[in-house]
């Protein structure tokens, strides 16, 4: 592989300009002791960095790019809208069209509001839940990540996961932490007991497939319990489907599980690579938002026309018959021998085209199972792949993604490289 001269120059300069040289912490490759990837361009399943090194991409902008980089339909849709106007700060037809499309698919969404990031979606959904119920307690789950708003950053996953000192971030007032309870994921008995005892419960928010402590699905029984107890308590159940929405199917986890949350948060895929996210739910709840109701929420760039057109073009592509089956087969074939090689030394957890290779634990159901993660080994694994042109998320706590643009020969190359690593670096079997 070529040297990383330009990458190093840009990174060195960035370090003086931006904290950690980045605009989002995981991009800094912290803990990996190398210059982070500085992307120049992408096409389909490949990324090239500023030194023209080529990588097969298993991160896909953290799951946003289910069609891969630069799909023609999206490029065309976005360019056409750019020519008409990038932003108006006025209502546009694109919002109406994408809203209709999402509502037609997501079982629990009757009305929707667009925002610009997943963080805004969850933050606003939470405010709405509190405004609607008149109560304040929020329950979330350890290792789930819902963006970086104050209330939701208590014991979160994703970039916060490997900063032990940031079990919750500094700068969050005590009063806010007091109103957030972070409970163990998938712990049916323990969680139901606590929820039943809290009459001040406004909302429970959950990633119904956790994707920010690696891929960890919630059990059906756990989700059913949450649905029942929130109903009993007059609290709202919020599904954060920012990753899982349109990733695991057109109806999200709620469609697969047949469980209707009160509110749903979406992001990533629905913007087709542009900044768009949304939250939605039952009309009677959503109509509490301004201008109809007294819960305020707004955004200069909300429902941005370019993002709406890219999002719509994406969802149209996902509606193509057999889309998710194709993705399922691609991913299953890629992983089969890897699962075999990892047996007894770790595990692969997967739902559709999102998955994680856990090095160490033989099964991960909650945050505490991640104590068994072999982080040193992940580091050598990441570096081995990186040097051979395979880019996986730069942390053991993240999901990998396969897009419809992943080519067979690239998947075979990646598969072989991963198996080679395991062969050259044999692991002790874990107990
Ligand atoms: C990415 C993510 C968010 C935050 O979205 P941003 O657009 O990064 O603010 C929220 N929830 C989940 C489940 C996510 O994966």
């Amino acid at each position: 592989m070529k040297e990383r001269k330009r990458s190093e120059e840009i990174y060195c300069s960035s370090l003086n300009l931006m904290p950690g040289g980045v605009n989002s912490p995981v991009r800094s490759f912290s803990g990996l002791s190398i210059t982070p990837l500085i992307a120049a361009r992408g096409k389909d399943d490949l990324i090239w960095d500023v030194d023209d090194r080529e990588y097969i991409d298993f991160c896909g902008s953290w799951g946003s790019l289910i069609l891969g980089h630069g799909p023609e339909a999206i490029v065309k849709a976005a360019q056409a809208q750019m020519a008409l106007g990038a932003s108006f700060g006025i209502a546009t037809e694109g919002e109406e069209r994408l809203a209709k499309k999402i509502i037609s698919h997501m079982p629990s969404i009757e009305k929707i509001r667009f925002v610009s990031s997943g963080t805004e979606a969850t933050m606003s959904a939470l405010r709405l839940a509190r405004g609607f119920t008149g109560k304040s307690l929020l329950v979330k789950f350890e290792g789930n990540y819902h963006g970086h708003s104050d209330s939701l950053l208590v014991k979160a996953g994703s970039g916060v996961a490997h900063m032990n000192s940031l079990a919750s971030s500094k700068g969050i007032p005590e009063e806010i932490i007091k109103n957030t309870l972070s409970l163990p994921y998938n712990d049916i008995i323990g969680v139901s007991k606590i929820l039943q005892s809290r009459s001040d419960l406004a909302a429970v928010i959950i990633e119904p497939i956790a994707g920010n402590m690696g891929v960890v699905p919630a059990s059906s029984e756990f989700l059913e319990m949450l649905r029942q107890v929130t109903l009993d308590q007059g609290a709202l159940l919020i599904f954060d489907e920012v990753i899982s929405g349109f990733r695991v199917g057109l109806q999200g986890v709620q469609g697969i599980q047949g469980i209707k949350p009160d509110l749903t948060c979406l992001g990533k895929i629905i913007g087709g690579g542009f900044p768009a996210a949304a939250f939605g739910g039952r009309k009677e709840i959503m109509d509490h938002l301004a201008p109809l109701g007294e819960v305020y929420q707004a955004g200069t760039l909300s429902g941005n026309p370019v993002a709406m057109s890219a999002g719509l073009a994406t969802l149209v592509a996902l509606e193509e018959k057999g889309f998710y089956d194709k993705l399922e087969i691609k991913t299953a074939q890629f992983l089969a021998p890897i699962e075999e090689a990892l047996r007894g030394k770790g595990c692969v957890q997967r739902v559709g085209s999102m998955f994680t290779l856990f090095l160490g634990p033989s099964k991960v159901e909650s945050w505490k199972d991640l104590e068994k993660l072999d982080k040193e080994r992940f580091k050598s694994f990441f570096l081995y792949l990186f040097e051979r042109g395979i880019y996986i998320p730069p942390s053991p706590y993240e999901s990998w993604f396969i897009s419809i643009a992943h080519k067979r020969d690239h998947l075979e190359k990646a598969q072989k490289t991963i198996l080679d690593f395991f062969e050259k670096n044999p692991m002790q079997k874990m107990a």
Side-chain angles (χ1 to χ4, degrees):
M1 290 270 265
K2 298 183 185 86
E3 291 198 19
R4 304 188 63 212
K5 217 163 150 268
R6 188 74 192 124
S7 300
E8 279 151 24
E9 282 165 13
I10 292 173
Y11 181 54
C12 278
S13 164
S14 297
L15 283 172
N16 289 320
L17 303 168
M18 296 172 278
V22 293
N23 287 300
S24 194
V26 276
R27 294 179 196 172
S28 70
F29 284 22
S30 72
L32 295 170
S33 335
I34 55 165
T35 298
L37 192 50
I38 314 248
R41 63 200 163 92
K43 184 64 192 161
D44 298 327
D45 54 350
L46 298 176
I47 292 176
W48 289 267
D49 72 4
V50 290
D51 293 295
D52 211 30
R53 283 165 53 123
E54 182 182 294
Y55 300 87
I56 304 169
D57 181 17
F58 285 93
C59 191
S61 189
W62 304 100
S64 307
L65 304 180
I66 194 167
L67 305 177
H69 294 271
E72 203 182 312
I74 311 287
V75 173
K76 269 196 181 145
Q79 282 176 340
Q81 181 56 50
M82 277 293 298
L84 297 173
S87 180
F88 299 99
I90 298 173
T92 56
E93 185 180 350
E95 292 153 88
E96 184 263 351
R97 293 179 67 192
L98 186 57
K100 197 184 276 169
K101 182 67 82 190
I102 292 173
I103 289 168
S104 78
H105 289 301
M106 294 296 288
S108 72
I109 300 185
E110 294 173 359
K111 281 193 176 179
I112 192 164
R113 175 154 290 178
F114 290 110
V115 291
S116 300
S117 69
T119 295
E120 277 180 86
T122 56
M123 177 184 79
S124 308
L126 173 59
R127 181 182 307 136
L128 177 57
R130 284 172 166 159
F132 179 76
T133 59
K135 299 191 274 185
S136 51
L137 182 71
L138 167 72
V139 164
K140 65 174 289 295
F141 297 99
E142 291 166 8
N144 281 201
Y145 177 71
H146 305 291
H148 60 88
S149 69
D150 283 0
S151 303
L152 291 163
L153 212 48
V154 180
K155 286 203 189 161
S158 189
V160 212
H162 59 197
M163 297 193 217
N164 283 333
S165 58
L166 285 185
S168 62
S169 165
K170 282 208 175 169
I172 300 177
E174 207 36 55
E175 307 81 77
I176 284 180
I177 295 173
K178 267 199 312 227
N179 279 313
T180 303
L181 272 185
S182 198
L183 302 178
Y185 197 67
N186 275 327
D187 173 8
I188 300 178
I189 295 170
V191 170
S192 78
K193 221 186 211 164
I194 292 172
L195 294 183
Q196 279 163 2
S197 73
R198 296 298 297 247
S199 57
D200 55 343
L201 184 67
V204 173
I205 188 167
I206 182 167
E207 283 185 79
I209 297 170
N212 289 286
M213 51 172 163
V215 172
V216 185
S219 70
S220 305
E221 297 74 23
F222 188 62
L223 294 174
E224 278 158 16
M225 179 277 290
L226 295 178
R227 180 61 288 183
Q228 193 51 52
V229 180
T230 44
L231 278 173
D232 294 346
Q233 290 286 32
L236 300 191
L237 178 61
I238 306 173
F239 274 10
D240 181 351
E241 298 223 43
V242 169
I243 291 186
S244 59
F246 296 100
R247 168 59 61 179
V248 298
L250 288 170
Q251 302 192 321
V253 184
Q254 52 197 267
I256 294 172
Q257 295 283 357
I259 294 173
K260 279 192 186 174
D262 300 294
L263 293 173
T264 299
C265 302
L266 297 169
K268 300 199 165 98
I269 288 176
I270 68 161
F274 289 85
F279 62 105
R282 292 208 312 277
K283 281 184 195 137
E284 59 172 299
I285 302 170
M286 291 302 289
D287 284 348
H288 277 68
L289 284 177
L292 294 181
E294 293 182 66
V295 177
Y296 195 72
Q297 195 288 324
T300 301
L301 297 176
S302 291
N304 173 262
V306 181
M308 296 294 105
S309 63
L312 187 66
T314 302
L315 298 201
V316 167
L318 302 185
E319 285 170 342
E320 208 162 284
K321 198 164 169 288
F323 180 93
Y324 288 97
D325 294 338
K326 234 193 253 172
L327 212 48
E328 165 71 27
I329 293 167
K330 244 184 223 288
T331 316
Q333 285 178 348
F334 169 67
L335 287 175
I338 295 171
E339 280 174 63
E340 194 51 46
L342 258 181
R343 187 151 305 153
K345 304 158 198 159
C347 61
V348 176
Q349 294 194 176
R350 171 176 85 89
V351 182
S353 56
M354 61 187 281
F355 57 93
T356 301
L357 274 61
F358 289 105
L359 307 181
S362 58
K363 193 168 176 43
V364 180
E365 291 176 332
S366 68
W367 184 244
K368 75 169 178 353
D369 296 331
L370 293 172
E371 283 166 10
K372 299 198 194 91
L373 266 190
D374 189 340
K375 287 179 224 163
E376 272 312 301
R377 189 169 177 79
F378 175 83
K379 184 174 166 180
S380 31
F381 182 55
F382 176 91
L383 295 173
Y384 185 90
L385 299 182
F386 191 76
E387 270 316 300
R388 288 160 183 78
I390 293 155
Y391 176 60
I392 66 169
S395 149
Y397 301 99
E398 302 286 355
S399 306
W400 305 26
F401 300 95
I402 282 185
S403 76
I404 203 74
H406 275 77
K407 298 198 172 61
R408 179 191 281 258
D409 53 335
H410 293 165
L411 288 174
E412 282 172 0
K413 178 190 164 186
Q415 186 188 61
K416 187 175 177 309
T417 312
I418 290 167
L419 294 173
D420 284 350
F421 173 84
F422 290 147
E423 206 172 295
K424 284 186 200 155
N425 303 273
M427 251 181 301
Q428 299 291 310
K429 282 219 176 208
M430 302 290 269

